[in-house]
């Protein structure tokens, strides 16, 4: 089964509306999809309804990507195949959304103190506000030459307009996802630039908190990374997930592209009853 269980729409920091994203997944022969916008499930609910309404040849499970604080790191936990109406999960996501909004406004305030003036409407977000929206706005107004420069000069860690996020803990995210009947997956483990020792510490602690799976297959991976993550999954008895982390239609990070699990992996969807 070609599964893509990590992607983003305009409800967070993706560039496609939900119908466009779903139709692209169908065109790319994706068979199982989860839309995992940052800290909100509005797009997921919309995608589920759209697929059912148009009777598309695509199986769907609800998804979300929750930002968590762990030591000095921001770690992302993907929730999959849960009940989107569960009260505990909805409450946690509301807290996350409030934290996102407060951080966003504080960053705009810090930028203004430097004479870099941005208004909320110039950041052009329709769902969750993210630093990417600020980076794009800085590019559009000519303050930077490319989005990464916005992080390097203004809003990245250690820069003058950086604001530390107040996210939930990994344990809280896992508990909320599982209470909603879902499974919790550690997203893109190598994206945090942890040493091997710290990555093992993360997997060990997260497993103690009930982590179900590890993202093993990602569209853009250096040689050897996929097999190394498969070994991690085996070492900590975690199931394996896969996802493109799709945001925009370009390059190798496309829906369903270059996704497959090594033979020794147990797919996260192995025990799901998907209609």
């Amino acid at each position: 089964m070609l599964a893509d269980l990590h992607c983003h729409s305009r409800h967070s920091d993706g560039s496609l509306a939900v119908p466009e994203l779903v139709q692209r997944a169908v065109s790319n022969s994706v068979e199982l999809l989860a839309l995992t916008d940052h800290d909100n499930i509005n797009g997921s609910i919309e995608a589920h309804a759209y697929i059912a309404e148009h009777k598309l040849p695509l199986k769907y499970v609800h998804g979300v990507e929750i930002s968590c604080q762990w030591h000095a790191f921001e770690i992302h936990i993907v929730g999959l195949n849960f009940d989107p109406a569960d009260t505990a999960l909805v409450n946690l996501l509301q807290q996350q959304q409030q934290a996102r909004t407060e951080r966003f406004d504080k960053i705009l305030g810090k930028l203004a103190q430097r004479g870099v003036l941005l208004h909320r409407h110039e950041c052009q977000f329709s769902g969750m506000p993210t630093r990417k929206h600020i980076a794009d706005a800085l590019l559009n107004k000519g303050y930077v030459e490319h989005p990464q420069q916005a992080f390097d000069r203004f809003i990245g860690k250690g820069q003058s307009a950086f604001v530390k996020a107040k996210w939930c803990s990994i344990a809280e995210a896992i508990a909320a996802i599982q209470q909603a009947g879902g499974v919790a997956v550690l997203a893109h483990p190598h994206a945090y630039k942890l040493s091997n020792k710290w990555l093992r510490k993360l997997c060990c602690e997260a497993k103690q908190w009930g982590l179900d799976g590890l993202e093993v297959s990602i569209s853009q991976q250096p040689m050897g990374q996929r097999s190394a993550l498969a070994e991690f999954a085996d070492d900590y008895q975690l199931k394996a997930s896969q996802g493109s982390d799709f945001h925009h239609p370009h390059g190798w990070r496309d829906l369903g592209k270059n996704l497959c699990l090594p033979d020794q992996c147990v797919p996260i969807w192995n025990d799901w009853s998907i209609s």
Side-chain angles (χ1 to χ4, degrees), residues 31-44:
E31 299 168 88
L32 173 61
L33 180 71
L35 175 56
T36 57
D37 280 315
H38 293 286
D39 297 311
N40 85 96
I41 55 176
N42 295 334
S44 186

Side-chain angles (χ1 to χ4, degrees), residues 105-119:
D105 290 339
K106 287 179 180 178
I107 292 173
L108 294 183
K110 283 196 167 190
L111 286 170
Q113 291 172 5
R114 289 197 59 180
V116 179
L117 301 179
L118 283 183
H119 297 287

